[in-house]
Amino acid sequence: MCDYTEVQYKCGDVRYTVRAWCVRYQETHKRCAPNVVAIEYRLDELCGEHIQ
Ligand SMILES: [Zn+2]
């Protein structure tokens, strides 16, 4: 599984950013189930969809 950081925004949305692709992804380029290893709080920021 690939390691992801969960990012939580002020608007309540959550995004996942990849920390490290696993070997399987690197070989096949098929996405596997995200393995969330950290949570980052950006509670003073809106996500991309909510920035005007
Ligand atoms: Zn948002």
Side-chain angles (χ1 to χ4, degrees):
M1 290 191 295
C2 301
D3 289 348
Y4 280 75
T5 299
E6 181 178 308
V7 184
Q8 298 194 358
Y9 289 92
K10 184 180 179 182
C11 52
D13 287 319
V14 173
R15 293 290 179 271
Y16 294 93
T17 58
V18 175
R19 293 168 69 95
W21 297 114
C22 64
V23 173
R24 195 174 80 101
Y25 179 83
Q26 289 173 9
E27 287 175 354
T28 66
H29 284 251
K30 286 181 184 167
R31 295 208 173 226
C32 50
N35 177 41
V36 175
V37 294
I39 300 177
E40 194 178 319
Y41 295 97
R42 296 189 189 169
L43 299 180
D44 54 345
E45 270 180 55
L46 299 173
C47 78
E49 280 176 30
H50 288 105
I51 294 173
Q52 295 183 348

